[in-house]
Amino acid sequence: MSNDKTVVTEINITASSDYSLQWNRWAMKSIGAWPQSSSNLERIISRILNVICYTAVLFTIIPCSLHVMLEKETFYTKVKILGPLSHWVFCIISYTMLLLRRKTIRHFFNHMETDWRTTMRKEKKEIMLKYAKFSRYAAISCTIFIHGGILGYCVMTAFTTMVVVVGNETMILRVLPLPMYKGLLPVDTNTMNEIVLLSQFLSGFIANTSAISVISLTSALTSHASGQLGVVMLSIEDFVSDARRRGKDDHFDEIPTIVEKHLRVLNFISRIEAMINKACFLELTRCTIAICVLGYYIFMVDVILIVRA
């Protein structure tokens, strides 16, 4: 009977810990960035995914960058391209940071699992679960907004067609979300146009998922830290209540435990800050560039409409 209770407890602990990290695992595994590989097969698959992700994103970034630098385009057109291009560039940097910090991320996940395992009181678990739910909702919202925005832009652009005349042949091609340098890739042919379009959708998904992984990871870690601080506060409140009930002359063995728990949380927070601050700065820079480019684009559209009127 005791063995059955132990098994049930282990399942509940695993389920609770998994709930707080489930969305992160789905996102990070899809791009080969999940640090907790349990078998050699998973490690091999992760390495293959890493190669595919880098190849797909660089296949988009390099020709587009050459297009911006070498093609004779207006300043307005180049700034218009800069918005989506910067998204791809910053996301591949974030992806690289995720891969380089795999061991650190694994330690964070082990820390979180230990916290779930050592927390037995129902009220404390409810506090942790409340913050885990918030983290999960934040990750889901982030996924919807980022994928909806970027892939929505790619879909709308792909539905736009243009007429290209090559020699005596007239072709109708789809507009690429990120234009390519024609000296490197003959994108003015139907076959290559479709291949590049599909590759940009794939690289867009990878870039989006990299950004989602960073943001959802930050949300999961900070929410867990907040939950642990809530647990410490509950322990302090219980200690004060017991002190009033038992009297001042009683010995309180809970003090070292509370202090140790508090120091553990503070150490966890300091390690989060050390790892996440650069990634957050990258995300801030990426979003700032996107907002500035969007503002410039809207302003120029208004100017063009006024001039035409």
Side-chain angles (χ1 to χ4, degrees):
M1 188 69 177
S2 60
N3 291 335
D4 293 339
K5 289 183 178 180
T6 303
V7 172
V8 172
T9 303
E10 289 290 333
I11 292 173
N12 291 335
I13 292 171
T14 303
S16 300
S17 178
D18 182 72
Y19 179 83
S20 62
L21 294 173
Q22 188 179 53
W23 203 262
N24 299 78
R25 187 177 68 251
W26 289 345
M28 296 175 75
K29 272 195 171 184
S30 65
I31 55 176
W34 183 250
Q36 293 181 317
S37 300
S38 57
S39 64
N40 291 329
L41 179 60
E42 287 187 0
R43 294 188 185 94
I44 293 172
I45 293 174
S46 294
R47 297 295 182 270
I48 294 173
L49 287 174
N50 296 154
V51 174
I52 293 173
C53 290
Y54 273 114
T55 303
V57 176
L58 292 177
F59 183 72
T60 299
I61 290 176
I62 294 174
C64 183
S65 301
L66 291 175
H67 176 89
V68 173
M69 292 184 291
L70 302 178
E71 291 285 353
K72 293 182 179 179
E73 299 279 4
T74 62
F75 180 76
Y76 169 75
T77 303
K78 290 187 177 183
V79 172
K80 185 179 177 181
I81 298 171
L82 182 62
L85 177 60
S86 64
H87 174 76
W88 265 255
V89 172
F90 280 104
C91 286
I92 196 63
I93 296 174
S94 298
Y95 179 65
T96 303
M97 291 180 64
L98 284 175
L99 297 183
L100 293 177
R101 298 295 182 92
R102 270 180 169 174
K103 290 184 179 180
T104 305
I105 296 172
R106 188 187 305 119
H107 291 322
F108 279 127
F109 291 165
N110 292 336
H111 184 112
M112 294 171 66
E113 185 176 350
T114 301
D115 287 339
W116 281 101
R117 190 177 300 277
T118 55
T119 303
M120 298 299 177
R121 187 175 165 185
K122 180 181 177 182
E123 291 81 359
K124 294 181 179 180
K125 281 187 175 293
E126 288 176 351
I127 293 174
M128 295 172 64
L129 189 60
K130 180 183 74 172
Y131 284 97
K133 287 180 179 179
F134 172 80
S135 168
R136 188 182 178 92
Y137 294 150
I140 293 173
S141 301
C142 170
T143 302
I144 293 172
F145 280 112
I146 292 182
H147 274 315
I150 302 301
L151 293 183
Y153 164 78
C154 292
V155 170
M156 292 180 63
T157 306
F159 274 113
T160 306
T161 58
M162 61 180 179
V163 178
V164 177
V165 179
V166 180
N168 297 325
E169 186 179 0
T170 301
M171 294 180 294
I172 298 177
L173 303 176
R174 297 191 180 276
V175 177
L176 298 174
L178 278 80
M180 295 287 181
Y181 179 55
K182 295 181 181 179
L184 187 63
L185 293 171
V187 292
D188 51 359
T189 61
N190 283 318
T191 303
M192 183 56 68
N193 181 265
E194 292 174 359
I195 292 174
V196 171
L197 182 62
L198 290 175
S199 71
Q200 289 192 1
F201 270 93
L202 175 61
S203 65
F205 173 82
I206 295 168
N208 293 345
T209 307
S210 300
I212 291 167
S213 298
V214 171
I215 297 172
S216 60
L217 176 64
T218 304
S219 175
L221 295 179
T222 53
S223 295
H224 182 78
S226 299
Q228 289 303 295
L229 289 175
V231 169
V232 172
M233 287 297 299
L234 182 60
S235 299
I236 294 173
E237 291 173 0
D238 291 342
F239 171 76
V240 173
S241 299
D242 291 342
R244 290 173 178 172
R245 179 173 53 83
R246 293 185 293 183
K248 296 182 179 180
D249 296 333
D250 203 353
H251 295 284
F252 302 110
D253 298 331
E254 296 89 347
I255 293 179
T257 304
I258 295 174
V259 173
E260 182 181 354
K261 180 68 174 179
H262 191 200
L263 292 175
R264 176 180 168 85
V265 178
L266 293 178
N267 178 260
F268 184 69
I269 293 172
S270 64
R271 288 190 291 126
I272 291 174
E273 183 182 6
M275 189 192 75
I276 295 298
N277 56 1
K278 295 182 180 64
C280 290
F281 177 75
L282 281 175
E283 288 300 313
L284 177 63
T285 306
R286 178 180 65 84
C287 294
T288 302
I289 292 175
I291 293 172
C292 292
V293 171
L294 179 61
Y296 175 81
Y297 178 61
I298 294 173
F299 173 76
M300 290 303 298
V301 169
D302 291 339
V303 170
I304 292 172
L305 291 176
I306 292 172
V307 171
R308 289 181 178 178

PDB file of all heavy atoms in Angstrom, residues 1 60 106 173 229 242 266 304:
ATOM      1  N   MET A   1       0.831  -1.208   0.000  1.00  0.00           N
ATOM      2  CA  MET A   1       0.000   0.000   0.000  1.00  0.00           C
ATOM      3  C   MET A   1       0.864   1.256   0.000  1.00  0.00           C
ATOM      4  O   MET A   1       0.593   2.225  -0.688  1.00  0.00           O
ATOM      5  CB  MET A   1      -0.918  -0.020   1.235  1.00  0.00           C
ATOM      6  CG  MET A   1      -1.958   1.093   1.239  1.00  0.00           C
ATOM      7  SD  MET A   1      -3.187   0.813  -0.061  1.00  0.00           S
ATOM      8  CE  MET A   1      -4.279   2.189   0.263  1.00  0.00           C
ATOM      9  N   THR A  60      17.801  32.090 -45.597  1.00  0.00           N
ATOM     10  CA  THR A  60      16.942  33.268 -45.748  1.00  0.00           C
ATOM     11  C   THR A  60      17.710  34.560 -45.486  1.00  0.00           C
ATOM     12  O   THR A  60      17.586  35.537 -46.234  1.00  0.00           O
ATOM     13  CB  THR A  60      15.744  33.180 -44.788  1.00  0.00           C
ATOM     14  OG1 THR A  60      14.973  32.015 -45.098  1.00  0.00           O
ATOM     15  CG2 THR A  60      14.855  34.408 -44.906  1.00  0.00           C
ATOM     16  N   ARG A 106      19.323  23.312 -18.115  1.00  0.00           N
ATOM     17  CA  ARG A 106      19.055  22.011 -17.503  1.00  0.00           C
ATOM     18  C   ARG A 106      19.113  22.109 -15.979  1.00  0.00           C
ATOM     19  O   ARG A 106      18.284  21.522 -15.275  1.00  0.00           O
ATOM     20  CB  ARG A 106      20.068  20.981 -18.000  1.00  0.00           C
ATOM     21  CG  ARG A 106      19.743  19.547 -17.546  1.00  0.00           C
ATOM     22  CD  ARG A 106      20.839  18.570 -17.914  1.00  0.00           C
ATOM     23  NE  ARG A 106      21.123  18.602 -19.332  1.00  0.00           N
ATOM     24  CZ  ARG A 106      22.293  18.930 -19.855  1.00  0.00           C
ATOM     25  NH1 ARG A 106      23.291  19.281 -19.063  1.00  0.00           N
ATOM     26  NH2 ARG A 106      22.479  18.915 -21.153  1.00  0.00           N
ATOM     27  N   LEU A 173       4.688  35.245 -60.551  1.00  0.00           N
ATOM     28  CA  LEU A 173       5.375  34.698 -59.379  1.00  0.00           C
ATOM     29  C   LEU A 173       4.776  35.271 -58.102  1.00  0.00           C
ATOM     30  O   LEU A 173       4.192  36.353 -58.103  1.00  0.00           O
ATOM     31  CB  LEU A 173       6.873  35.027 -59.435  1.00  0.00           C
ATOM     32  CG  LEU A 173       7.640  34.555 -60.672  1.00  0.00           C
ATOM     33  CD1 LEU A 173       9.080  35.043 -60.596  1.00  0.00           C
ATOM     34  CD2 LEU A 173       7.593  33.040 -60.799  1.00  0.00           C
ATOM     35  N   LEU A 229       8.876  32.560  -3.753  1.00  0.00           N
ATOM     36  CA  LEU A 229       8.809  33.663  -2.788  1.00  0.00           C
ATOM     37  C   LEU A 229       7.470  33.646  -2.051  1.00  0.00           C
ATOM     38  O   LEU A 229       7.401  33.943  -0.851  1.00  0.00           O
ATOM     39  CB  LEU A 229       9.003  35.000  -3.505  1.00  0.00           C
ATOM     40  CG  LEU A 229      10.418  35.289  -4.012  1.00  0.00           C
ATOM     41  CD1 LEU A 229      10.443  36.587  -4.811  1.00  0.00           C
ATOM     42  CD2 LEU A 229      11.406  35.375  -2.849  1.00  0.00           C
ATOM     43  N   ASP A 242       2.442  30.553  14.676  1.00  0.00           N
ATOM     44  CA  ASP A 242       2.836  29.561  15.678  1.00  0.00           C
ATOM     45  C   ASP A 242       3.549  30.215  16.854  1.00  0.00           C
ATOM     46  O   ASP A 242       3.397  29.791  18.011  1.00  0.00           O
ATOM     47  CB  ASP A 242       3.752  28.508  15.041  1.00  0.00           C
ATOM     48  CG  ASP A 242       3.004  27.624  14.059  1.00  0.00           C
ATOM     49  OD1 ASP A 242       1.760  27.596  14.135  1.00  0.00           O
ATOM     50  OD2 ASP A 242       3.659  26.986  13.211  1.00  0.00           O
ATOM     51  N   LEU A 266      16.697  33.289  -3.629  1.00  0.00           N
ATOM     52  CA  LEU A 266      17.499  34.436  -4.061  1.00  0.00           C
ATOM     53  C   LEU A 266      18.624  34.003  -4.998  1.00  0.00           C
ATOM     54  O   LEU A 266      18.932  34.695  -5.980  1.00  0.00           O
ATOM     55  CB  LEU A 266      18.073  35.163  -2.843  1.00  0.00           C
ATOM     56  CG  LEU A 266      17.059  35.862  -1.927  1.00  0.00           C
ATOM     57  CD1 LEU A 266      17.768  36.500  -0.745  1.00  0.00           C
ATOM     58  CD2 LEU A 266      16.259  36.908  -2.697  1.00  0.00           C
ATOM     59  N   ILE A 304       2.825  59.495 -48.871  1.00  0.00           N
ATOM     60  CA  ILE A 304       2.550  59.158 -50.272  1.00  0.00           C
ATOM     61  C   ILE A 304       1.094  59.444 -50.622  1.00  0.00           C
ATOM     62  O   ILE A 304       0.782  59.995 -51.691  1.00  0.00           O
ATOM     63  CB  ILE A 304       2.896  57.675 -50.533  1.00  0.00           C
ATOM     64  CG1 ILE A 304       4.411  57.466 -50.429  1.00  0.00           C
ATOM     65  CG2 ILE A 304       2.405  57.242 -51.914  1.00  0.00           C
ATOM     66  CD1 ILE A 304       4.831  56.012 -50.481  1.00  0.00           C
TER      67      ILE A 304
END
